[in-house]
Amino acid sequence: MKDRNQLRDRIHEIIFEADTPEGKRFDVIIMILIVASVLTVMLESVSVIQWQYEEVFYIIEWIFTIIFTIEYILRLYSVRYTWRYATSFYGVIDLLAIIPTYLSIFFMGSQSLLVIRALRLMRVFRIFKLGQFMSEGMIIVKAMKASRVKISIFLFFILIVVTIIGAVMYLVEGTFDNTGFTSIPKSIYWAIVTLTTVGFGDITPQTSLGQFLSAVVMILGYAVIAVPTGIVSAELVDQAKAAATNTQACRYCGEDGHDDDAKHCKYCGNILNEPHNH
Amino acid sequence: MKDRNQLRDRIHEIIFEADTPEGKRFDVIIMILIVASVLTVMLESVSVIQWQYEEVFYIIEWIFTIIFTIEYILRLYSVRYTWRYATSFYGVIDLLAIIPTYLSIFFMGSQSLLVIRALRLMRVFRIFKLGQFMSEGMIIVKAMKASRVKISIFLFFILIVVTIIGAVMYLVEGTFDNTGFTSIPKSIYWAIVTLTTVGFGDITPQTSLGQFLSAVVMILGYAVIAVPTGIVSAELVDQAKAAATNTQACRYCGEDGHDDDAKHCKYCGNILNEPHNH
Amino acid sequence: MKDRNQLRDRIHEIIFEADTPEGKRFDVIIMILIVASVLTVMLESVSVIQWQYEEVFYIIEWIFTIIFTIEYILRLYSVRYTWRYATSFYGVIDLLAIIPTYLSIFFMGSQSLLVIRALRLMRVFRIFKLGQFMSEGMIIVKAMKASRVKISIFLFFILIVVTIIGAVMYLVEGTFDNTGFTSIPKSIYWAIVTLTTVGFGDITPQTSLGQFLSAVVMILGYAVIAVPTGIVSAELVDQAKAAATNTQACRYCGEDGHDDDAKHCKYCGNILNEPHNH
Amino acid sequence: MKDRNQLRDRIHEIIFEADTPEGKRFDVIIMILIVASVLTVMLESVSVIQWQYEEVFYIIEWIFTIIFTIEYILRLYSVRYTWRYATSFYGVIDLLAIIPTYLSIFFMGSQSLLVIRALRLMRVFRIFKLGQFMSEGMIIVKAMKASRVKISIFLFFILIVVTIIGAVMYLVEGTFDNTGFTSIPKSIYWAIVTLTTVGFGDITPQTSLGQFLSAVVMILGYAVIAVPTGIVSAELVDQAKAAATNTQACRYCGEDGHDDDAKHCKYCGNILNEPHNH
């Protein structure tokens, strides 16, 4: 019984931890396998290649799936709280990464779903867990989280604007046969393509009034595209400032986070940097 | 008479206020109805769907319009200053949201104007009126307002630039038959499409000189697109700083600029906000 | 003789100054005339309209030209240093705005050059000369000037990158007949269209290798587009900070530009804000 | 022997140093030759021109190559550590800039590789080595280096996202014949074209579901494009602040953060930099 626990702990150490040499090696191997399997799925979708090597792809796909299935079972087995892992973000991804192959026995074409394995690559951040890499990533995540509300309001506003623009353009251009503005949803699609400055050109205004309105939309979009960038920039400037803040801790109460020009601890009022002797 | 006033007050409370449970419930129901009615107008514009369910759409449209008309009348009835509401931003939108259906009796096709109902969704901000949501939105609005003059100057400058570019491109490309530069307004349209980096590709330069000039315009646009973004970013950085800075001044030395969590003046060490009484 | 000088001064006051009521009125009239004349040139280039009203346009064009010629002569007459005005930015623009019509007697088609009149609209900034409008514009101009060197270095770097990308894409795609990569200059044009995210789509890679390289170029461009925006943003944040700096002047030496937390004048060392009594 | 060393030193001074008049003149001449040779390669690729002047180009190309070969040999000869130069960035570029012509004796078409000579233009920064120009460039380079990790994490994340989007779009659109989504790699190419807002329009969604998903991708891309811009902006704001802040500390109270033009400590009022002796 104890041996079994030891085995479980050992497996857990190799599979889940990236600090030990074995754990790191395991993670690197898994990463390479994921990249290889995603590339396989990609190549398989290219019809010229697929026709020639149909059987080879079939075998390779099953080999990857079996390896990942074993890995998944080992993860379930070795983890302390099986259910918690199974329902966690990575647990769900790990399961979704093997299901499509089994589904392909019943449903044709579901193999393409295997690219969901690419999401498993996010584990790569675990390898670099320690040190600078993670904290830098954290600043972006923090800035994104902090600007979440602002960006949501902004996107909601954009959705309303885009609906109105789409409807107006449908009214202006829709009666002409050769334009792509055949319905309001298609016109909204055009408005989004335009406002985000993607500009595919699959649908373009043909009438003078339509082109004039498009020009107005684009000029507005020019000013509007500045907003989310401004939001994230301001947030990142803020984060950078927070990170740059004085690391000095008060000798009396131990609190830190003081400004560079602070002379007294802002929490207990004691003098901060002795040498000054005010 | 008193009963009637009480009724009016009750209706007002439900329709206009979002703080009471009934008011909130009413607002949520109206939101759902607006979204449903906007989706109906969108679907109606898709010809395949419209042909099949013409009658259904006709009925649904009138149901929504009647509901919104009753709501509009109740608003007019319950509000204290009827005229002020009727001429306010939301009052006008509320009216515009019901007119097109009545107009469609006389004029065909005016139903598409019903998407103006989407503007009514901006009332959603009222539901989240209290708390963080609004203040975050306010920062964007403030930053937009503060950079209004700068962005106007910039857009005015862009308009002049775009006119010149359009005329030059018309001179260079206009004589060739297969290019789209058939007039100066069309060339200005192209210049706007290019400078905003939308790039539909419906009009593209064919001559070497035209392509060279386009390249210059794009390279310039590359530097120019930075300006509105920079303006809004700088403004938002400013707003964030202003919002983050406590306006409280120390009672002893008069210094301000203290952090929100400061308990002692960082300059003289005296206690900042009395109530804490450390 | 004295009367003549008085007349000159009077004309100068009306034409060149925007502070007096007459000066302002004159400027507004000229602005309207310029906009009208630019719109005329635009409409004239639309062939459908031009065919119908050829004579009308001919007459209108000459009327505008004669008015602007009289204005130009009055400017030359009333200004103190005739040559300095004639060679100044606005002086050259004023001349260029009338020449094309006279040229059109000898050369066909030179009328389109009349849109150069749009540049005269920049005089509009003179009307708003006083007050906030100008200072806001100045901040942009200052920020652009301050980031001039950085943006030049950046654009020079982009030009080199774009040349290399163009040549590589020409090698990869050039041998295929149906692609647009028919020469290195055309490929460089494509590289600029792509890197600036304009993306017309008139030239697109057809080979797998070409599409892969394009993807790399676009991903790089994604990071690269951030640089000019970052430069201008940083500069504008800086300008905003400079503008926000304390307006207090030292009572002893009169110098201002002190930081908000300064206690002593940084120029003469005297105490800045009396009430503190340190 | 001594004469030979003197000759070597003299050559070194002219070729490698940009401070002496001769060195500067040499650098300018080389720059002009590089630009001329790059333009020649460009023109040569234009088939109309190439057919007419085939022999002329052949001769010009060899003249440039011989000049650059002599220059390369002189560099190798005059430099103290031959191998270090030969393996340095500029050394490799200098070699790569002459090899293609020699290769063209054996392989047709390798002349286009000569545009690699454009990279040699980066030497231009050496001419402006001294003064403001370089330090401004350094700020960009520093900001790019400082944001390297953040941008890498971001790009890695984008690659995963783009793979998933590509696969989903392939599943949705791939079954239709006339769309360009013929394989997952092509769909990933489309996803990159869309997310970076380039939007060629060579591949566009045709189904309603595909257009809806594209709209979602674009709206997301709208928020996402803000991230690298925000990162670089924040970094440049930081660099600007670091560059603007004087590192000098007051000799009396030890405070730093004084402005460059400060003569007295803004905290205690004592004189800052002795030499002024007020």
Side-chain angles (χ1 to χ4, degrees), chain A residues 42 45 112 115 124 133 136 186 189 197-200 224-225 229 233 236 263 276, chain D residues 150 153 156 167 170-171 184 188 194 197-201 205 222 226 229-231 253:
Chain A
M42 280 188 199
S45 75
S112 298
V115 286
V124 86
F133 206 80
E136 298 259 0
K186 266 216 163 54
Y189 162 73
T197 78
V198 171
F200 282 139
V224 159
I225 207 172
T229 310
S233 294
L236 280 167
K263 284 168 186 157
H276 296 299
Chain D
K150 282 203 208 76
I153 296 175
F156 183 81
Y170 169 68
L171 282 176
I184 294 181
I188 292 175
T194 304
T197 78
V198 172
F200 281 138
Y222 204 44
T229 309
I231 293 169
C253 70

mmCIF file of all heavy atoms in Angstrom, chain A residues 42 45 112 115 124 133 136 186 189 197-200 224-225 229 233 236 263 276, chain D residues 150 153 156 167 170-171 184 188 194 197-201 205 222 226 229-231 253:
data_model
loop_
_atom_site.group_PDB
_atom_site.id
_atom_site.type_symbol
_atom_site.label_atom_id
_atom_site.label_comp_id
_atom_site.label_asym_id
_atom_site.label_seq_id
_atom_site.Cartn_x
_atom_site.Cartn_y
_atom_site.Cartn_z
ATOM 1 N N MET A 42 -2.326 19.547 -38.915
ATOM 2 C CA MET A 42 -2.283 20.600 -39.939
ATOM 3 C C MET A 42 -1.990 19.998 -41.313
ATOM 4 O O MET A 42 -2.686 20.268 -42.284
ATOM 5 C CB MET A 42 -1.172 21.602 -39.598
ATOM 6 C CG MET A 42 -1.554 22.602 -38.548
ATOM 7 S SD MET A 42 -0.245 23.818 -38.461
ATOM 8 C CE MET A 42 -0.576 24.509 -36.855
ATOM 9 N N SER A 45 -4.656 18.118 -43.092
ATOM 10 C CA SER A 45 -5.749 18.884 -43.710
ATOM 11 C C SER A 45 -5.400 19.352 -45.122
ATOM 12 O O SER A 45 -6.265 19.775 -45.874
ATOM 13 C CB SER A 45 -6.092 20.092 -42.822
ATOM 14 O OG SER A 45 -5.099 21.078 -42.953
ATOM 15 N N SER A 112 -9.943 17.236 -37.253
ATOM 16 C CA SER A 112 -9.475 18.624 -37.273
ATOM 17 C C SER A 112 -9.583 19.266 -35.891
ATOM 18 O O SER A 112 -8.849 20.185 -35.555
ATOM 19 C CB SER A 112 -10.277 19.452 -38.276
ATOM 20 O OG SER A 112 -10.085 18.926 -39.564
ATOM 21 N N VAL A 115 -6.602 19.984 -33.230
ATOM 22 C CA VAL A 115 -5.731 21.150 -33.033
ATOM 23 C C VAL A 115 -5.961 21.795 -31.683
ATOM 24 O O VAL A 115 -5.180 22.627 -31.244
ATOM 25 C CB VAL A 115 -5.901 22.245 -34.111
ATOM 26 C CG1 VAL A 115 -5.279 21.816 -35.402
ATOM 27 C CG2 VAL A 115 -7.334 22.625 -34.251
ATOM 28 N N VAL A 124 3.528 25.395 -21.390
ATOM 29 C CA VAL A 124 4.911 25.819 -21.547
ATOM 30 C C VAL A 124 5.262 26.871 -20.497
ATOM 31 O O VAL A 124 6.400 26.954 -20.024
ATOM 32 C CB VAL A 124 5.179 26.356 -22.977
ATOM 33 C CG1 VAL A 124 4.827 27.805 -23.100
ATOM 34 C CG2 VAL A 124 6.611 26.116 -23.386
ATOM 35 N N PHE A 133 10.332 35.443 -16.383
ATOM 36 C CA PHE A 133 9.373 35.145 -17.436
ATOM 37 C C PHE A 133 7.942 35.252 -16.956
ATOM 38 O O PHE A 133 7.092 35.836 -17.603
ATOM 39 C CB PHE A 133 9.641 33.743 -17.976
ATOM 40 C CG PHE A 133 9.195 33.569 -19.382
ATOM 41 C CD1 PHE A 133 9.983 34.023 -20.424
ATOM 42 C CD2 PHE A 133 7.996 32.956 -19.676
ATOM 43 C CE1 PHE A 133 9.588 33.875 -21.735
ATOM 44 C CE2 PHE A 133 7.588 32.810 -20.989
ATOM 45 C CZ PHE A 133 8.378 33.262 -22.022
ATOM 46 N N GLU A 136 6.709 38.875 -15.822
ATOM 47 C CA GLU A 136 6.453 39.741 -16.978
ATOM 48 C C GLU A 136 5.077 39.410 -17.564
ATOM 49 O O GLU A 136 4.295 40.293 -17.898
ATOM 50 C CB GLU A 136 7.534 39.529 -18.058
ATOM 51 C CG GLU A 136 8.930 39.870 -17.611
ATOM 52 C CD GLU A 136 9.369 41.226 -18.107
ATOM 53 O OE1 GLU A 136 8.583 41.890 -18.795
ATOM 54 O OE2 GLU A 136 10.503 41.628 -17.802
ATOM 55 N N LYS A 186 -25.108 40.931 -42.771
ATOM 56 C CA LYS A 186 -23.943 41.047 -43.663
ATOM 57 C C LYS A 186 -23.380 42.462 -43.609
ATOM 58 O O LYS A 186 -22.163 42.640 -43.653
ATOM 59 C CB LYS A 186 -24.361 40.718 -45.104
ATOM 60 C CG LYS A 186 -24.128 39.267 -45.461
ATOM 61 C CD LYS A 186 -23.687 39.063 -46.894
ATOM 62 C CE LYS A 186 -23.084 37.682 -47.073
ATOM 63 N NZ LYS A 186 -23.971 36.593 -46.610
ATOM 64 N N TYR A 189 -21.433 42.759 -40.481
ATOM 65 C CA TYR A 189 -20.141 42.097 -40.722
ATOM 66 C C TYR A 189 -19.203 43.071 -41.449
ATOM 67 O O TYR A 189 -18.039 43.228 -41.066
ATOM 68 C CB TYR A 189 -20.376 40.827 -41.550
ATOM 69 C CG TYR A 189 -19.162 40.259 -42.226
ATOM 70 C CD1 TYR A 189 -18.170 39.607 -41.503
ATOM 71 C CD2 TYR A 189 -18.997 40.364 -43.608
ATOM 72 C CE1 TYR A 189 -17.059 39.081 -42.131
ATOM 73 C CE2 TYR A 189 -17.887 39.844 -44.250
ATOM 74 C CZ TYR A 189 -16.922 39.211 -43.502
ATOM 75 O OH TYR A 189 -15.819 38.695 -44.132
ATOM 76 N N THR A 197 -10.439 48.142 -39.117
ATOM 77 C CA THR A 197 -9.421 48.405 -40.150
ATOM 78 C C THR A 197 -8.885 47.140 -40.794
ATOM 79 O O THR A 197 -7.809 47.176 -41.391
ATOM 80 C CB THR A 197 -8.223 49.254 -39.617
ATOM 81 O OG1 THR A 197 -7.365 48.412 -38.869
ATOM 82 C CG2 THR A 197 -8.676 50.426 -38.815
ATOM 83 N N VAL A 198 -9.618 46.019 -40.684
ATOM 84 C CA VAL A 198 -9.194 44.804 -41.385
ATOM 85 C C VAL A 198 -9.380 45.021 -42.888
ATOM 86 O O VAL A 198 -8.452 44.848 -43.669
ATOM 87 C CB VAL A 198 -9.979 43.570 -40.894
ATOM 88 C CG1 VAL A 198 -9.677 42.366 -41.772
ATOM 89 C CG2 VAL A 198 -9.617 43.265 -39.448
ATOM 90 N N GLY A 199 -10.584 45.402 -43.297
ATOM 91 C CA GLY A 199 -10.825 45.770 -44.692
ATOM 92 C C GLY A 199 -10.565 44.689 -45.718
ATOM 93 O O GLY A 199 -9.700 44.858 -46.571
ATOM 94 N N PHE A 200 -11.299 43.567 -45.632
ATOM 95 C CA PHE A 200 -11.114 42.483 -46.604
ATOM 96 C C PHE A 200 -11.351 42.965 -48.029
ATOM 97 O O PHE A 200 -10.618 42.610 -48.950
ATOM 98 C CB PHE A 200 -12.095 41.338 -46.318
ATOM 99 C CG PHE A 200 -11.673 40.468 -45.185
ATOM 100 C CD1 PHE A 200 -12.586 40.010 -44.253
ATOM 101 C CD2 PHE A 200 -10.347 40.078 -45.056
ATOM 102 C CE1 PHE A 200 -12.190 39.192 -43.223
ATOM 103 C CE2 PHE A 200 -9.951 39.256 -44.020
ATOM 104 C CZ PHE A 200 -10.876 38.810 -43.098
ATOM 105 N N VAL A 224 -11.396 56.058 -32.958
ATOM 106 C CA VAL A 224 -11.923 55.068 -32.017
ATOM 107 C C VAL A 224 -10.917 53.973 -31.701
ATOM 108 O O VAL A 224 -10.829 53.504 -30.570
ATOM 109 C CB VAL A 224 -13.235 54.468 -32.575
ATOM 110 C CG1 VAL A 224 -13.549 53.129 -31.955
ATOM 111 C CG2 VAL A 224 -14.381 55.442 -32.341
ATOM 112 N N ILE A 225 -10.108 53.583 -32.713
ATOM 113 C CA ILE A 225 -9.142 52.511 -32.493
ATOM 114 C C ILE A 225 -8.139 52.905 -31.419
ATOM 115 O O ILE A 225 -7.498 52.063 -30.800
ATOM 116 C CB ILE A 225 -8.411 52.148 -33.809
ATOM 117 C CG1 ILE A 225 -7.949 50.695 -33.736
ATOM 118 C CG2 ILE A 225 -7.248 53.073 -34.093
ATOM 119 C CD1 ILE A 225 -7.393 50.177 -35.043
ATOM 120 N N THR A 229 -6.313 50.827 -27.180
ATOM 121 C CA THR A 229 -4.865 50.940 -27.044
ATOM 122 C C THR A 229 -4.517 51.869 -25.890
ATOM 123 O O THR A 229 -3.653 51.562 -25.071
ATOM 124 C CB THR A 229 -4.249 51.488 -28.352
ATOM 125 O OG1 THR A 229 -4.741 50.718 -29.435
ATOM 126 C CG2 THR A 229 -2.751 51.420 -28.319
ATOM 127 N N SER A 233 -2.494 50.805 -22.626
ATOM 128 C CA SER A 233 -1.244 51.538 -22.393
ATOM 129 C C SER A 233 -1.240 52.174 -21.011
ATOM 130 O O SER A 233 -0.289 52.019 -20.246
ATOM 131 C CB SER A 233 -1.060 52.638 -23.443
ATOM 132 O OG SER A 233 -0.888 52.096 -24.719
ATOM 133 N N LEU A 236 -0.768 49.611 -18.378
ATOM 134 C CA LEU A 236 0.589 49.065 -18.318
ATOM 135 C C LEU A 236 1.564 50.086 -17.740
ATOM 136 O O LEU A 236 2.490 49.720 -17.018
ATOM 137 C CB LEU A 236 1.045 48.621 -19.710
ATOM 138 C CG LEU A 236 0.517 47.260 -20.151
ATOM 139 C CD1 LEU A 236 0.745 47.054 -21.633
ATOM 140 C CD2 LEU A 236 1.199 46.139 -19.377
ATOM 141 N N LYS A 263 9.258 60.756 3.267
ATOM 142 C CA LYS A 263 10.242 60.892 4.342
ATOM 143 C C LYS A 263 9.788 60.142 5.586
ATOM 144 O O LYS A 263 10.565 59.745 6.426
ATOM 145 C CB LYS A 263 10.452 62.373 4.682
ATOM 146 C CG LYS A 263 11.302 63.076 3.649
ATOM 147 C CD LYS A 263 11.251 64.566 3.827
ATOM 148 C CE LYS A 263 12.005 65.235 2.691
ATOM 149 N NZ LYS A 263 11.568 66.605 2.490
ATOM 150 N N HIS A 276 18.892 61.035 6.728
ATOM 151 C CA HIS A 276 18.490 62.419 6.519
ATOM 152 C C HIS A 276 18.468 63.245 7.809
ATOM 153 O O HIS A 276 18.768 64.421 7.788
ATOM 154 C CB HIS A 276 17.112 62.470 5.855
ATOM 155 C CG HIS A 276 17.145 61.867 4.505
ATOM 156 N ND1 HIS A 276 17.935 62.355 3.509
ATOM 157 C CD2 HIS A 276 16.512 60.778 4.002
ATOM 158 C CE1 HIS A 276 17.781 61.620 2.423
ATOM 159 N NE2 HIS A 276 16.932 60.643 2.701
ATOM 160 N N LYS D 150 7.961 40.328 -22.697
ATOM 161 C CA LYS D 150 6.509 40.528 -22.743
ATOM 162 C C LYS D 150 5.973 40.269 -24.141
ATOM 163 O O LYS D 150 4.965 39.597 -24.309
ATOM 164 C CB LYS D 150 6.171 41.966 -22.328
ATOM 165 C CG LYS D 150 6.212 42.199 -20.835
ATOM 166 C CD LYS D 150 5.357 43.409 -20.471
ATOM 167 C CE LYS D 150 5.854 44.073 -19.217
ATOM 168 N NZ LYS D 150 7.078 44.888 -19.455
ATOM 169 N N ILE D 153 6.031 36.465 -25.023
ATOM 170 C CA ILE D 153 4.910 35.764 -24.396
ATOM 171 C C ILE D 153 3.645 36.038 -25.197
ATOM 172 O O ILE D 153 2.877 35.131 -25.521
ATOM 173 C CB ILE D 153 4.700 36.248 -22.939
ATOM 174 C CG1 ILE D 153 5.907 35.891 -22.080
ATOM 175 C CG2 ILE D 153 3.431 35.632 -22.344
ATOM 176 C CD1 ILE D 153 5.823 36.431 -20.668
ATOM 177 N N PHE D 156 3.661 34.248 -28.584
ATOM 178 C CA PHE D 156 3.448 32.818 -28.375
ATOM 179 C C PHE D 156 1.962 32.544 -28.154
ATOM 180 O O PHE D 156 1.387 31.624 -28.732
ATOM 181 C CB PHE D 156 4.266 32.356 -27.162
ATOM 182 C CG PHE D 156 4.160 30.886 -26.909
ATOM 183 C CD1 PHE D 156 4.928 29.990 -27.641
ATOM 184 C CD2 PHE D 156 3.283 30.396 -25.956
ATOM 185 C CE1 PHE D 156 4.814 28.631 -27.419
ATOM 186 C CE2 PHE D 156 3.169 29.038 -25.733
ATOM 187 C CZ PHE D 156 3.931 28.148 -26.463
ATOM 188 N N ALA D 167 -8.130 26.302 -37.307
ATOM 189 C CA ALA D 167 -8.746 24.973 -37.375
ATOM 190 C C ALA D 167 -10.271 25.083 -37.368
ATOM 191 O O ALA D 167 -10.962 24.399 -38.131
ATOM 192 C CB ALA D 167 -8.274 24.134 -36.203
ATOM 193 N N TYR D 170 -11.456 26.315 -40.662
ATOM 194 C CA TYR D 170 -11.324 25.249 -41.661
ATOM 195 C C TYR D 170 -12.516 24.298 -41.572
ATOM 196 O O TYR D 170 -13.072 23.880 -42.600
ATOM 197 C CB TYR D 170 -10.014 24.495 -41.435
ATOM 198 C CG TYR D 170 -9.896 23.223 -42.243
ATOM 199 C CD1 TYR D 170 -9.770 23.263 -43.623
ATOM 200 C CD2 TYR D 170 -9.900 21.979 -41.614
ATOM 201 C CE1 TYR D 170 -9.661 22.101 -44.371
ATOM 202 C CE2 TYR D 170 -9.790 20.817 -42.350
ATOM 203 C CZ TYR D 170 -9.668 20.876 -43.731
ATOM 204 O OH TYR D 170 -9.580 19.721 -44.461
ATOM 205 N N LEU D 171 -12.918 23.980 -40.343
ATOM 206 C CA LEU D 171 -14.068 23.089 -40.151
ATOM 207 C C LEU D 171 -15.346 23.740 -40.676
ATOM 208 O O LEU D 171 -16.190 23.088 -41.292
ATOM 209 C CB LEU D 171 -14.243 22.754 -38.668
ATOM 210 C CG LEU D 171 -13.287 21.708 -38.116
ATOM 211 C CD1 LEU D 171 -13.486 21.537 -36.633
ATOM 212 C CD2 LEU D 171 -13.486 20.379 -38.841
ATOM 213 N N ILE D 184 -5.823 23.564 -43.041
ATOM 214 C CA ILE D 184 -5.606 24.279 -41.777
ATOM 215 C C ILE D 184 -4.489 25.320 -41.907
ATOM 216 O O ILE D 184 -4.676 26.460 -41.481
ATOM 217 C CB ILE D 184 -5.351 23.296 -40.610
ATOM 218 C CG1 ILE D 184 -6.630 22.480 -40.342
ATOM 219 C CG2 ILE D 184 -4.943 24.056 -39.351
ATOM 220 C CD1 ILE D 184 -6.509 21.509 -39.203
ATOM 221 N N ILE D 188 -4.900 29.174 -41.024
ATOM 222 C CA ILE D 188 -4.075 29.882 -40.040
ATOM 223 C C ILE D 188 -3.517 31.152 -40.677
ATOM 224 O O ILE D 188 -3.504 32.217 -40.050
ATOM 225 C CB ILE D 188 -2.938 28.972 -39.519
ATOM 226 C CG1 ILE D 188 -3.539 27.837 -38.681
ATOM 227 C CG2 ILE D 188 -1.933 29.779 -38.706
ATOM 228 C CD1 ILE D 188 -2.537 26.819 -38.223
ATOM 229 N N THR D 194 -6.108 38.303 -40.647
ATOM 230 C CA THR D 194 -7.256 38.984 -40.047
ATOM 231 C C THR D 194 -6.907 39.618 -38.703
ATOM 232 O O THR D 194 -7.221 40.778 -38.452
ATOM 233 C CB THR D 194 -8.417 37.993 -39.857
ATOM 234 O OG1 THR D 194 -8.710 37.404 -41.117
ATOM 235 C CG2 THR D 194 -9.647 38.683 -39.315
ATOM 236 N N THR D 197 -5.100 42.729 -38.652
ATOM 237 C CA THR D 197 -5.881 43.761 -39.372
ATOM 238 C C THR D 197 -5.313 44.094 -40.742
ATOM 239 O O THR D 197 -5.614 45.151 -41.285
ATOM 240 C CB THR D 197 -6.034 45.071 -38.552
ATOM 241 O OG1 THR D 197 -4.823 45.815 -38.627
ATOM 242 C CG2 THR D 197 -6.421 44.815 -37.124
ATOM 243 N N VAL D 198 -4.468 43.197 -41.302
ATOM 244 C CA VAL D 198 -3.993 43.430 -42.669
ATOM 245 C C VAL D 198 -5.168 43.252 -43.636
ATOM 246 O O VAL D 198 -5.465 44.135 -44.438
ATOM 247 C CB VAL D 198 -2.828 42.478 -43.023
ATOM 248 C CG1 VAL D 198 -2.486 42.588 -44.503
ATOM 249 C CG2 VAL D 198 -1.612 42.809 -42.181
ATOM 250 N N GLY D 199 -5.845 42.087 -43.559
ATOM 251 C CA GLY D 199 -7.072 41.882 -44.330
ATOM 252 C C GLY D 199 -6.917 41.971 -45.827
ATOM 253 O O GLY D 199 -7.520 42.825 -46.462
ATOM 254 N N PHE D 200 -6.089 41.073 -46.422
ATOM 255 C CA PHE D 200 -5.908 41.080 -47.881
ATOM 256 C C PHE D 200 -7.238 40.893 -48.607
ATOM 257 O O PHE D 200 -7.510 41.546 -49.598
ATOM 258 C CB PHE D 200 -4.972 39.950 -48.302
ATOM 259 C CG PHE D 200 -3.529 40.258 -48.079
ATOM 260 C CD1 PHE D 200 -2.670 39.301 -47.574
ATOM 261 C CD2 PHE D 200 -3.020 41.509 -48.387
ATOM 262 C CE1 PHE D 200 -1.328 39.586 -47.383
ATOM 263 C CE2 PHE D 200 -1.675 41.799 -48.200
ATOM 264 C CZ PHE D 200 -0.834 40.830 -47.686
ATOM 265 N N GLY D 201 -8.037 39.966 -48.124
ATOM 266 C CA GLY D 201 -9.281 39.668 -48.827
ATOM 267 C C GLY D 201 -9.111 38.590 -49.879
ATOM 268 O O GLY D 201 -10.033 38.342 -50.652
ATOM 269 N N PRO D 205 -14.487 34.553 -45.540
ATOM 270 C CA PRO D 205 -15.561 33.616 -45.185
ATOM 271 C C PRO D 205 -16.791 33.858 -46.053
ATOM 272 O O PRO D 205 -17.146 35.003 -46.326
ATOM 273 C CB PRO D 205 -15.832 33.925 -43.722
ATOM 274 C CG PRO D 205 -15.377 35.331 -43.540
ATOM 275 C CD PRO D 205 -14.215 35.494 -44.456
ATOM 276 N N TYR D 222 -9.326 43.555 -32.103
ATOM 277 C CA TYR D 222 -9.405 44.976 -31.820
ATOM 278 C C TYR D 222 -8.848 45.281 -30.422
ATOM 279 O O TYR D 222 -8.102 46.242 -30.238
ATOM 280 C CB TYR D 222 -10.878 45.373 -31.868
ATOM 281 C CG TYR D 222 -11.151 46.801 -32.160
ATOM 282 C CD1 TYR D 222 -10.460 47.467 -33.152
ATOM 283 C CD2 TYR D 222 -12.127 47.482 -31.469
ATOM 284 C CE1 TYR D 222 -10.737 48.778 -33.445
ATOM 285 C CE2 TYR D 222 -12.414 48.795 -31.756
ATOM 286 C CZ TYR D 222 -11.713 49.442 -32.745
ATOM 287 O OH TYR D 222 -11.995 50.737 -33.020
ATOM 288 N N ALA D 226 -4.145 46.162 -29.018
ATOM 289 C CA ALA D 226 -3.754 47.180 -28.050
ATOM 290 C C ALA D 226 -2.582 46.728 -27.188
ATOM 291 O O ALA D 226 -1.824 47.552 -26.686
ATOM 292 C CB ALA D 226 -4.945 47.529 -27.163
ATOM 293 N N THR D 229 1.190 47.455 -28.426
ATOM 294 C CA THR D 229 1.326 48.917 -28.414
ATOM 295 C C THR D 229 1.441 49.412 -26.974
ATOM 296 O O THR D 229 2.287 50.243 -26.665
ATOM 297 C CB THR D 229 0.113 49.569 -29.098
ATOM 298 O OG1 THR D 229 -0.069 48.958 -30.364
ATOM 299 C CG2 THR D 229 0.326 51.044 -29.284
ATOM 300 N N GLY D 230 0.573 48.895 -26.112
ATOM 301 C CA GLY D 230 0.606 49.273 -24.709
ATOM 302 C C GLY D 230 1.940 48.938 -24.071
ATOM 303 O O GLY D 230 2.511 49.743 -23.334
ATOM 304 N N ILE D 231 2.463 47.745 -24.386
ATOM 305 C CA ILE D 231 3.734 47.315 -23.801
ATOM 306 C C ILE D 231 4.851 48.281 -24.188
ATOM 307 O O ILE D 231 5.576 48.785 -23.330
ATOM 308 C CB ILE D 231 4.084 45.881 -24.270
ATOM 309 C CG1 ILE D 231 3.094 44.867 -23.692
ATOM 310 C CG2 ILE D 231 5.504 45.510 -23.875
ATOM 311 C CD1 ILE D 231 3.192 43.482 -24.299
ATOM 312 N N CYS D 253 21.035 66.909 2.116
ATOM 313 C CA CYS D 253 19.955 66.059 2.616
ATOM 314 C C CYS D 253 19.874 64.714 1.899
ATOM 315 O O CYS D 253 19.076 63.853 2.247
ATOM 316 C CB CYS D 253 18.603 66.779 2.514
ATOM 317 S SG CYS D 253 18.017 66.978 0.826
#
